Amino acid sequence: MAFITFRTSIAALAVAAAATTGLAALPAVAASEATSASAMGTASGSCGKGGAYINFTAHYHNSSRYHVFTKFSWTIAGSGVGNKNNVEFRVKHDNRLGHDPIYWTWKSPDNIRKGYSEVNSGTRNGGNPVPKSGIRVPKNKAAYVEFKAVFDKRGTDPRCAGHTRNV
């Protein structure tokens, strides 16, 4: 009986703390269910050349069998960058033995504006949109995204390439 009283006291303290901080208290069962659901994650990378740069992020979650990529976002900035940039990226897995297999590719037209942009299942900017089910890479593979940018600048357009960390 003492255990039940102790557990009830902990639950009461959690509810009281939540009330004073404005947070909602979850019952113990709901909290454990929330942690068992697949968590969203991001993997990012950046590169730059000639005073221009791109910060790139791949958004994903893990299902029981797959790394599922659902959105890709980036920011292009730097001195003298125009609004006719090009972005290309590929979802791959790290084969460690040579050629890395490609699961999906997206290539932009010559119209990516400086600032923030994204591609997801509802976006169609030249390349094919992300499939509604996401891009699936088997979970036993180390997945990553390789990206390239060509920056719209006066004179020769600088280029760079990079990749995210493995997930």
Side-chain angles (χ1 to χ4, degrees), residues 22-96:
L23 299 173
L26 294 174
V29 173
S32 65
E33 288 172 356
T35 56
S36 67
S38 62
M40 297 295 287
T42 59
S44 57
S46 62
C47 69
K49 183 93 179 222
Y53 65 90
I54 182 171
N55 292 325
F56 185 88
T57 303
H59 304 258
Y60 70 94
H61 68 273
N62 290 321
S63 71
S64 61
R65 295 178 46 205
Y66 298 99
H67 303 291
V68 183
F69 292 88
T70 56
K71 181 171 106 173
F72 305 90
S73 60
W74 61 89
T75 301
I76 292 177
S79 60
V81 176
N83 289 317
K84 291 189 171 201
N85 301 288
N86 301 82
V87 175
E88 178 180 338
F89 53 89
R90 292 178 169 86
V91 175
K92 296 177 147 188
H93 91 255
D94 189 354
N95 191 19
R96 299 193 192 276

Side-chain angles (χ1 to χ4, degrees), residues 57 59 71-75 89 106 112 115-125 130:
T57 303
H59 304 258
K71 181 171 106 173
F72 305 90
S73 60
W74 61 89
T75 301
F89 53 89
W106 189 83
I112 300 298
Y116 179 84
S117 297
E118 68 180 44
V119 172
N120 57 39
S121 64
T123 307
R124 184 172 199 90
N125 184 359
V130 176

Side-chain angles (χ1 to χ4, degrees), residues 14-26:
V15 170
T20 59
T21 61
L23 299 173
L26 294 174

Side-chain angles (χ1 to χ4, degrees), residues 90-166:
R90 292 178 169 86
V91 175
K92 296 177 147 188
H93 91 255
D94 189 354
N95 191 19
R96 299 193 192 276
L97 299 174
H99 178 72
D100 292 348
I102 299 169
Y103 285 83
W104 188 74
T105 300
W106 189 83
K107 292 181 183 183
S108 76
D110 192 28
N111 69 353
I112 300 298
R113 302 176 72 73
K114 62 185 173 188
Y116 179 84
S117 297
E118 68 180 44
V119 172
N120 57 39
S121 64
T123 307
R124 184 172 199 90
N125 184 359
N128 50 332
V130 176
K132 293 238 185 257
S133 61
I135 294 99
R136 297 170 181 253
V137 179
K139 207 169 172 183
N140 64 345
K141 309 285 185 191
Y144 71 98
V145 180
E146 171 188 82
F147 58 92
K148 298 176 184 177
V150 179
F151 303 105
D152 177 29
K153 291 189 72 166
R154 180 168 292 205
T156 303
D157 291 345
R159 303 165 180 266
C160 73
H163 60 86
T164 67
R165 66 175 172 78
N166 290 349

